[in-house]
Amino acid sequence: MSAYDVCIIGAGLTGLLVARKFIESGKRVLLVERGGEYLPEMEDRNGWWREETVSEVPTPDGRILTRNTFDGAEELFPDLAACDTRNAPWNFQYNMWRGVGGSGQMWSGMAWRLAPHDFRLHDTFGTGRNWPISYEDISPYYDRAEALLEVSGPGADVAETYRYWPWKNNYAYPPFRLSYLDTSFQASIGEIGEIVMQPHAVRNRPASEGGCVGAKTCVSFCPTGAIFKSRDRLFDDIAMDDNLEIMVETCCLSLDWDEGSGRITGAILRERGSEEEIPVEADLFFLCANALENILLIRRSEVRTGKVFGKTSPQVGRRFSSHGAFTYSVLTDQPVFPVRGRPTHGSVIEWVDRTPEERRNGVTMEVWQSDFLRGYHPREHLEKDIAAGHWGVTLFRRMAEYERRFAISFVFETEMSDITGVSLSPDYTDAYGMPLPLVKVSLGENDENTISFIRRKVAEIAESPGIARLEQIGCGLNGNHPLGGLTMSDSAETGVVDRYGRSHDFSNLYITGGGAFCSTGSFNPTLTITALALMTLDDPRLGLVSEP
């Protein structure tokens, strides 16, 4: 049996941060990653990973198996994510990348903080829960996360002119300015909502210096390395260190623990294509996969060991959720010249703010520089229109609309309730023969009120001057923003981890990622996940040197 100072399950953004910190402290680290390496080539787009999912026919009891897949996917990526889920269209269509870098390798780069009131949800709006930390507690870690991710965003001189911008930031680079499309759309919608410049973990500098060139391939491949990709920025620095051992294409089947001492005693691993189970021991264990994978590991461990995961077991998987979204195709009267610059530059964020009397959740509207579900290039629009059966005059008209078409997406906060959660699927298994997650997310009263609010805003926008047509092209839960289910709390009766991400039950177990969230907010969670990981590494009980 191999013994280490630290065993880290998951080589994504937080796993690589944890590994780097302990290696710097001279500790012997084992880094376990279920996926492999992702080294795409610009000339071979068929080899790129994609976010696409397919859903199978619902079972008689309403369950739906969803899978991340696309043409050639199984040959390139033999262990893609899948999920057993309920409540379409508000079912969780899991489509996250497995591999070195994790979801921090496959993302758009939006780097928002949560709103300060998100940490005091119950005190502010009389709904949901408060976090055991305040915005003031996490704010210094947001500063460090923005520096680490090299975020570009509006300076104080610009941000203070916005109707709503509740943060004080010191971004590494200036913002990506609003496009002609953004300003034209703003002129149409007027006082309905103010479009502000977004923060992005993308270097806004000349292309010759590694800056963004607007390739529109951010999630799968960045040709200049401008966007922060966790594998590219963090892994190479530690990959050859003598204190690091990394096992890729290796699944952690289960943990084991001693209830008397309150410690994790070991983990069982298995490499892809092998039936041999590999036991490992360590002084410290870090679960650094995403929220859903971390929940699954704990639940599978209970089944394999026949033991209960301490006092927090009833809380594992509860209050799981994700962001909801409605996406619309917008057709304008005049050309807005889409596909200039980054995929998206601006958002309306003032609808995050509201009164308790509204009984709704926060909403962010993202303005996209194309009708992205149809594609960024006119050829993609042409191919999809032909595949849909359009021809002749209709096809000509639709192609003529290309310069007048783009998309808006209403991303909304969802309630984390005790009736939503994650368990193990009774029917479906993964590539290792382990149960898939069974995810149930139900919309509550505030969610329904939020949907009504969005529909009212859509109606207002549709009646605005210069808007020819709005067409809904999608709605559902975001399949790559799993949040909650391992909630942060002050006690084992109400959550799974403490404010530093340490297990309430096991003194040598830490859990990073979005599972600790006590509210979803309506912003991309990556910056908050990064800030929480930096806060975890500052836990005085770890004895590490804190960074300024």
Side-chain angles (χ1 to χ4, degrees):
M1 181 179 291
S2 300
Y4 301 86
D5 295 315
V6 185
C7 176
I8 302 167
I9 309 299
L13 173 56
T14 65
L16 292 173
L17 284 175
V18 172
R20 185 177 70 170
K21 187 67 174 181
F22 278 100
I23 288 169
E24 289 173 352
S25 301
K27 303 297 184 181
R28 187 168 180 237
V29 174
L30 173 64
L31 184 58
V32 181
E33 172 53 51
R34 176 167 175 160
E37 281 245 59
Y38 180 72
L39 300 169
E41 297 180 2
M42 183 67 184
E43 296 76 20
D44 183 19
R45 296 196 176 203
N46 290 329
W48 293 1
W49 177 83
R50 301 177 220 165
E51 291 181 281
E52 298 170 17
T53 58
V54 296
S55 298
E56 299 193 356
V57 176
T59 61
D61 63 349
R63 287 166 35 219
I64 305 169
L65 177 65
T66 66
R67 296 181 294 114
N68 171 211
T69 190
F70 43 89
D71 289 343
E74 282 67 26
E75 291 75 22
L76 293 166
F77 310 105
D79 186 22
L80 291 168
C83 185
D84 188 359
T85 181
R86 293 178 182 269
N87 298 337
W90 303 106
N91 56 318
F92 184 72
Q93 299 186 33
Y94 187 33
N95 63 350
M96 294 185 75
W97 157 253
R98 288 181 177 137
V100 178
S103 57
Q105 190 68 14
M106 307 287 190
W107 69 311
S108 67
M110 283 197 204
W112 294 101
R113 300 183 180 200
L114 288 181
H117 63 236
D118 286 326
F119 296 90
R120 288 289 178 266
L121 203 62
H122 189 270
D123 287 352
T124 308
F125 302 110
T127 185
R129 287 188 184 181
N130 295 334
W131 293 53
I133 59 173
S134 65
Y135 176 77
E136 289 70 29
D137 293 328
I138 198 175
S139 181
Y141 297 97
Y142 272 136
D143 292 340
R144 286 169 51 185
E146 287 166 348
L148 173 73
L149 272 54
E150 298 185 67
V151 177
S152 302
D157 58 330
V158 174
E160 66 186 11
T161 69
Y162 291 147
R163 296 201 295 235
Y164 182 78
W165 190 277
W167 314 285
K168 293 182 179 179
N169 315 87
N170 184 23
Y171 293 124
Y173 294 100
F176 291 90
R177 297 289 176 181
L178 297 181
S179 68
Y180 178 81
L181 184 157
D182 293 316
T183 56
S184 298
F185 186 45
Q186 179 69 82
S188 290
I189 65 174
E191 290 299 308
I192 295 173
E194 180 186 33
I195 301 173
V196 303
M197 290 181 282
Q198 301 161 342
H200 293 274
V202 181
R203 292 166 174 159
N204 187 8
R205 60 190 188 191
S208 59
E209 300 175 13
C212 178
V213 293
K216 309 295 184 301
T217 58
C218 309
V219 172
S220 300
F221 179 75
C222 177
T224 62
I227 188 171
F228 180 93
K229 301 275 191 181
S230 12
R231 184 234 172 265
D232 303 342
R233 302 278 180 92
L234 300 175
F235 181 63
D236 288 346
D237 292 342
I238 62 174
M240 303 307 293
D241 196 286
D242 291 340
N243 282 327
L244 175 67
E245 181 177 341
I246 182 166
M247 298 178 67
V248 296
E249 298 185 349
T250 301
C251 179
C252 181
L253 302 179
S254 62
L255 304 173
D256 200 359
W257 53 89
D258 179 67
E259 297 167 339
S261 64
R263 292 180 63 82
I264 301 296
T265 56
I268 302 296
L269 314 177
R270 193 168 88 214
E271 296 177 309
R272 184 181 301 165
S274 171
E275 294 300 319
E276 179 187 359
E277 296 190 354
I278 305 168
V280 297
E281 292 180 344
D283 295 330
L284 284 170
F285 287 85
F286 280 78
L287 304 190
C288 295
N290 67 60
L292 188 58
E293 298 288 347
N294 287 337
I295 294 167
L296 278 180
L297 177 54
I298 293 171
R299 286 300 184 217
R300 290 165 174 169
S301 298
E302 290 185 316
V303 172
R304 282 175 60 91
T305 63
K307 295 186 288 189
V308 175
F309 192 74
K311 293 180 180 179
T312 58
S313 178
Q315 303 297 325
V316 173
R318 292 178 73 180
R319 303 180 62 77
F320 177 87
S321 196
S322 183
H323 293 127
F326 284 89
T327 302
Y328 289 82
S329 177
V330 183
L331 184 66
T332 57
D333 292 334
Q334 299 298 322
V336 290
F337 308 108
V339 201
R340 293 183 175 185
R342 298 206 72 249
T344 175
H345 294 215
S347 291
V348 173
I349 65 171
E350 63 190 75
W351 304 332
V352 167
D353 198 21
R354 67 266 190 200
T355 66
E357 290 72 28
E358 292 179 78
R359 304 295 295 177
R360 67 169 178 88
N361 306 326
V363 177
T364 301
M365 185 180 76
E366 299 168 351
V367 182
W368 290 82
Q369 300 300 301
S370 77
D371 189 345
F372 62 92
L373 289 182
R374 297 178 67 189
Y376 288 105
H377 194 278
R379 185 191 72 249
E380 296 173 284
H381 285 234
L382 176 64
E383 291 172 348
K384 290 184 178 180
D385 281 341
I386 291 175
H390 298 298
W391 199 248
V393 174
T394 301
L395 179 62
F396 182 84
R397 177 181 56 79
R398 289 180 69 86
M399 289 306 300
E401 293 174 351
Y402 176 78
E403 296 283 7
R404 299 188 287 126
R405 185 182 293 280
F406 62 98
I408 54 177
S409 185
F410 294 82
V411 181
F412 64 94
E413 172 186 2
T414 59
E415 293 181 76
M416 288 181 163
S417 74
D418 288 328
I419 64 170
T420 67
V422 179
S423 56
L424 300 180
S425 171
D427 301 312
Y428 302 112
T429 56
D430 62 15
Y432 290 87
M434 305 289 284
L436 289 180
L438 174 57
V439 178
K440 178 185 177 183
V441 178
S442 300
L443 299 186
E445 180 182 354
N446 271 28
D447 298 318
E448 298 293 351
N449 292 341
T450 306
I451 291 171
S452 296
F453 172 86
I454 291 171
R455 295 199 187 282
R456 290 196 297 273
K457 291 299 177 184
V458 169
E460 291 178 38
I461 293 170
E463 295 299 318
S464 297
I467 304 299
R469 186 169 69 246
L470 252 67
E471 176 187 0
Q472 184 176 318
I473 52 178
C475 70
L477 290 181
N478 191 317
N480 49 30
H481 289 177
L483 300 170
L486 298 165
T487 325
M488 181 186 292
S489 68
D490 287 325
S491 73
E493 287 69 40
T494 55
V496 178
V497 298
D498 68 13
R499 61 174 46 213
Y500 287 105
R502 190 172 88 161
S503 164
H504 286 305
D505 288 305
F506 305 105
S507 61
N508 66 336
L509 175 65
Y510 286 79
I511 306 175
T512 66
F517 278 45
C518 301
S519 59
T520 71
S522 59
F523 295 114
N524 184 298
T526 303
L527 187 76
T528 301
I529 288 170
T530 306
L532 290 173
L534 295 173
M535 191 173 183
T536 291
L537 293 172
D538 266 4
D539 185 355
R541 295 166 294 190
L542 291 174
L544 299 170
V545 177
S546 298
E547 296 181 17

